[in-house]
Amino acid sequence: MRYPRNLQGYGPCPQVVWPNEARIAVQFVVNYEEGGENSVLHGDAASEAFLSEIVGAQAWPGKRHWNMESIYEYGARAGFWRLHRLLTDRQVPVTVYGVATALKRSPAQVAAMQDAGWEVASHGLKWIEHKDFSAAQERAEIAEAIRLHTIVTGERPRGWYTGRCSENTLDLVTEAGGFDYVSDSYADDLPYWHEHDGRHQLVIPYTLDANDMRFATAQGFNSGDQFFSYLKDSFDVLYAEGKGGSPKMLSIGLHCRLAGRPGRAAALARFVDYVKSHSKVWLARRIDIARYWAEAYPFQPNDGCPSRLPEETFVARFGGIFEHSDWIARRAFAGELSAANDTATGLHAALTTVFREASEAQRFAVLIAHPDLAGKLAQAKRLTESSTNEQASAGLGALTDRERGRFTELNDAYVEKFGFPFIMAVKGRSKDEILAVFESRIDNDRDTEFETACRQVERIALLRLRDMLPG
């Protein structure tokens, strides 16, 4: 069974190069939702209750909520223009997440966005919740959002962010096609590729923390200073990581009715000025990031990754990782594999879990499947290719008669005492080191040596996987 979530990501230190060797890509989003929110005027069952100045707001079924409506109206009438002046005066590139019905009701604002060279991406048809939509209903909404957006702006949207999305949203937008990026994800500080039904789609993750929406949530910002401080700290950490060779992206989410208020706009202005006081910062629209990423880091098919292989191919490739014990690979395949198991470390964890969960008799069978070191099978050239290479790398294929005699003596004594062969991960070790360990471990009691041998089997498996897979 393949687990669909990807918890692996880019690992501890992703190596990315931004244009002009920028240490960070900074992206400002203006969410334009005013006029697209829940309202009985828009054919909805109740009023809006999300992201406003009203603490603990509740939807009013079948009624207009005058206070809520006027708060949203502030965003269109005043907040938008304040943000527009602030960002254009400072020559900040901007992406707008525009709700199609909201854009339709605000022609002057749309014209101002376009005159400023802002990217107008789609924020869906209406600013409503989609979690209970069927796939067919949401698919129809996406198509209508694209149609209306194109009519209102004169251009088809190239970016998409639903926001209040369902589990199907990302796949449905991927199916729709024609988007340079989708942002319905908060999974990373960098773009990544999503695959669905034979198609691939670039995802540029968005943010819910570096976002003025936290002025309207229970655990949020109470003042502009808190907003500024959080954005500054976020920038400073990512800027330092970029200076250290691992550049990232910082997204800042804004709403006209929230950040467009004077006290919050002042904090935003301070932050923009702070960002612009630094060198090697790439201020970009999301479409610019998407087009750069698609060229610099194009989609790479990963059908050959372990978690993507069919069962027989998987077993054929990894069945020998634990010596002559392909049942371990088969059980791992039947378990839960994901992108996290596509590295040597990750696949080793999956295989080792099976081995550790096995009965003592099953683990004993794995131990006795291993050959003696420098034993009769090696002399007869009947080892597996992996064992042959491992023993040869430690010099066990070129022993003197005296050394070979000592190994034979130890092998016989060890098997007689413990009932299984001496097992050690010999790759990278010298024959003198191996002999010293051999002579030390033969004095162990059986329980201790059984567990030691099992850990060495696991170590051998890891070294074999590192020869086959990245990290």
Side-chain angles (χ1 to χ4, degrees), residues 69-80:
E69 287 182 13
S70 64
I71 286 172
Y72 270 75
E73 287 165 15
Y74 182 92
R77 293 162 59 103
F80 169 80

Side-chain angles (χ1 to χ4, degrees), residues 38-260:
N38 280 288
S39 171
V40 295
L41 294 176
H42 305 157
D44 301 306
S47 63
E48 186 57 70
F50 191 48
L51 294 190
S52 79
E53 304 294 335
I54 304 173
V55 177
Q58 299 293 317
W60 289 8
K63 295 180 180 180
R64 292 178 64 185
H65 193 317
W66 189 259
N67 290 342
M68 182 65 72
E69 287 182 13
S70 64
I71 286 172
Y72 270 75
E73 287 165 15
Y74 182 92
R77 293 162 59 103
F80 169 80
W81 298 109
R82 183 168 289 113
L83 293 180
H84 183 268
R85 287 191 298 273
L86 187 160
L87 295 168
T88 55
D89 286 351
R90 289 167 172 76
Q91 298 181 316
V92 175
V94 171
T95 289
V96 175
Y97 287 161
V99 173
T101 51
L103 296 176
K104 182 175 183 290
R105 295 183 173 108
S106 298
Q109 291 89 334
V110 171
M113 297 170 193
Q114 294 178 322
D115 289 345
W118 291 3
E119 174 204 359
V120 185
S122 180
H123 199 6
L125 180 64
K126 299 171 69 175
W127 178 232
I128 60 176
E129 188 66 74
H130 293 83
K131 66 182 178 63
D132 295 322
F133 275 45
S134 69
Q137 288 175 312
E138 191 173 1
R139 186 180 290 110
E141 284 252 329
I142 291 169
E144 178 59 16
I146 295 170
R147 186 195 72 81
L148 184 57
H149 185 110
T150 303
I151 291 172
V152 171
T153 68
E155 298 178 331
R156 186 196 189 283
R158 305 299 302 179
W160 181 278
Y161 175 70
T162 297
R164 297 160 83 173
C165 64
S166 77
E167 63 178 308
N168 299 313
T169 301
L170 184 53
D171 288 341
L172 291 173
V173 177
T174 301
E175 287 177 14
F179 289 99
D180 289 329
Y181 70 91
V182 179
S183 289
D184 279 300
S185 171
Y186 314 104
D188 212 303
D189 296 314
L190 290 170
Y192 63 90
W193 292 98
H194 172 73
E195 293 181 77
H196 167 68
D197 197 24
R199 301 188 182 201
H200 59 272
Q201 173 66 62
L202 183 64
V203 177
I204 301 184
Y206 188 44
T207 177
L208 294 181
D209 66 317
N211 192 310
D212 67 1
M213 68 174 286
R214 291 173 66 87
F215 282 111
T217 59
Q219 182 189 10
F221 305 125
N222 292 319
S223 69
D225 286 342
Q226 291 179 349
F227 187 41
F228 170 77
S229 179
Y230 190 85
L231 295 182
K232 178 181 177 297
D233 287 347
S234 299
F235 175 86
D236 288 345
V237 168
L238 295 178
Y239 190 79
E241 290 180 8
K243 186 177 180 180
S246 185
K248 306 295 194 315
M249 177 183 74
L250 173 63
S251 296
I252 295 96
L254 308 170
H255 296 77
C256 302
R257 62 193 176 278
L258 297 176

